[in-house]
Amino acid sequence: MKIEIQRLPASKLKVKPSDPMKLPFGSVFTDYMLTMRYQNGAWLPPRIEPYGPLALDPASMVFHYGQGIFEGLKAYRKGKEIFLFRARDNFNRLNASAKRMVMPEIDVTTAMESLKELLLLERDWVPEAKGSSLYIRPTMIATEPRLGVRPANEYLYYVILSPVGPYFKEGFNPVGVLVSEKYVRSVRGGVGYAKTLVNYATGLLGLKEAMDSGYPQVLWLDAIERKYIEETATMNIFVRFKDEIATPPLSGTILPGITRASVIELTRDWGYAVNERLITIDELVAGLRTGKVIEVFGTGTAALIAPIGQIAYGGAVHKVSGGTAGELSLRLFEHLAGLQRGDTADKHGWMESIRW
Ligand SMILES: *Cc1c(COP(=O)(O)O)cnc(C)c1O
């Protein structure tokens, strides 16, 4: 694929952060971005251009009717090689989100090849320190300037890159979650399985209330019975019982996480009994009390594995694993991090690399 690159003179390139390990998540962006426009029923060729503000008409439909979707994945560097983890799955999921939001799908090969071109150009932005990576944010928005509710006819797809340090500044410490009893994130038939900005907007108040009470995460319950655990704001959830690992099933209301799918495969490989099944909040809380539940953790690209140390529900705070990181959480984290850095053998064919 031939991609047009609008290059910057060397004097205009940004100064790279001296210590990527210290960067707050998603705060620094690289020199270039990838853009691709959809007009007259077709995608135009992708382009690479200097990173900078987008000029958008104030009537752009994304601002009024919320047609917007995104993805999140990471690139890792080792010498003259950049690794990507299951990146095709991210673009397939972008297309699933596009379908649900009546947006045009993109060709996965074009998405992969153009991303690789961008990464090659920006290779010196991919940090090499253990625990750091280059976060990749593919985004698609409705740009047609038009008021009136209907699917837009013009879209912009773009990819921006941000070097990030480890998600856990103080090491692999468990986080607390507050179960939201007031609000819900998504309902059957809704858009819960799509990675759309709409889900985040409607979840913010529940997240803010959790944060205001001292919990960095909110745990959502199902919208109909308010009984089954679903996921947190940005992560899928796993519960390790003494004799089983369980995670809520993909019934349309939760995001089909790629980390979630990987954890299911890995723990099955390791001989655990793993079930995708409904888990009630009462079963979880009772299991914590009786010792039947021994670990709870979240999964997602940003943190990989986030051990959960406390669950606040119904006015009580329930401790998990005595408030420390569980043994399986740690094993999964080390294994996935090792795979993504290219240090651990990749039995599943999840990794892809770019060399120069
Ligand atoms: C992105 C996301 C996840 C995690 O998905 P990964 O593919 O594992 O990064 C989980 N829940 C929500 C709501 C998300 O947006």
Side-chain angles (χ1 to χ4, degrees), residues 26-225:
S27 58
V28 168
F29 297 92
T30 68
D31 292 302
Y32 294 95
M33 62 186 180
L34 181 90
T35 61
M36 186 164 76
R37 289 179 182 276
Y38 182 89
Q39 285 165 0
N40 305 316
W43 287 105
L44 299 175
R47 294 165 38 88
I48 291 174
E49 55 190 272
Y51 181 97
L54 299 170
L56 289 174
D57 193 296
S60 295
M61 290 173 89
V62 64
F63 298 139
H64 305 274
Y65 312 117
Q67 262 187 306
I69 55 176
F70 61 89
E71 270 305 322
L73 64 158
K74 284 173 168 176
Y76 309 82
R77 181 163 170 176
K78 191 168 154 185
K80 291 193 159 208
E81 197 166 11
I82 290 172
F83 291 98
L84 287 169
F85 177 73
R86 308 188 74 169
R88 266 169 203 280
D89 292 356
N90 287 93
F91 292 117
N92 285 322
R93 186 171 66 188
L94 184 76
N95 282 339
S97 301
K99 246 191 180 136
R100 181 62 182 85
M101 301 299 285
V102 210
M103 300 169 78
E105 291 177 48
I106 60 173
D107 175 62
V108 172
T109 303
T110 304
M112 281 298 295
E113 286 183 11
S114 55
L115 171 62
K116 287 181 181 175
E117 280 279 332
L118 179 67
L119 289 173
L120 212 49
L121 180 67
E122 296 285 61
R123 60 195 176 217
D124 291 338
W125 279 95
V126 189
E128 233 171 320
K130 187 175 166 176
S132 65
S133 59
L134 187 70
Y135 186 77
I136 303 166
R137 172 52 60 87
T139 309
M140 194 197 295
I141 52 173
T143 50
E144 185 189 356
R146 184 68 181 261
L147 299 184
V149 181
R150 60 157 171 75
N153 288 319
E154 290 167 22
Y155 295 88
L156 172 67
Y157 166 77
Y158 63 86
V159 181
I160 54 176
L161 307 173
S162 172
V164 296
Y167 206 72
F168 298 108
K169 296 281 171 278
E170 288 85 34
F172 194 64
N173 285 330
V175 296
V177 298
L178 175 76
V179 178
S180 182
E181 293 171 66
K182 232 193 214 159
Y183 311 110
V184 294
R185 172 181 175 273
S186 102
V187 67
R188 266 175 266 157
V191 295
Y193 69 88
K195 215 169 169 78
T196 166
L197 46 89
V198 173
N199 285 328
Y200 285 84
T202 56
L204 282 179
L205 186 54
L207 178 62
K208 180 177 183 293
E209 288 191 1
M211 286 171 152
D212 288 348
S213 327
Y215 296 91
Q217 282 284 344
V218 56
L219 176 59
W220 299 112
L221 297 180
D222 79 280
I224 297 173
E225 297 182 67

Side-chain angles (χ1 to χ4, degrees), residues 93 185 195 200 231 233-236 255 257-259 299-301:
R93 186 171 66 188
R185 172 181 175 273
K195 215 169 169 78
Y200 285 84
E231 64 173 320
T234 57
M235 294 184 295
N236 296 112
L255 211 286
I258 293 162
T259 321
T299 65
T301 296

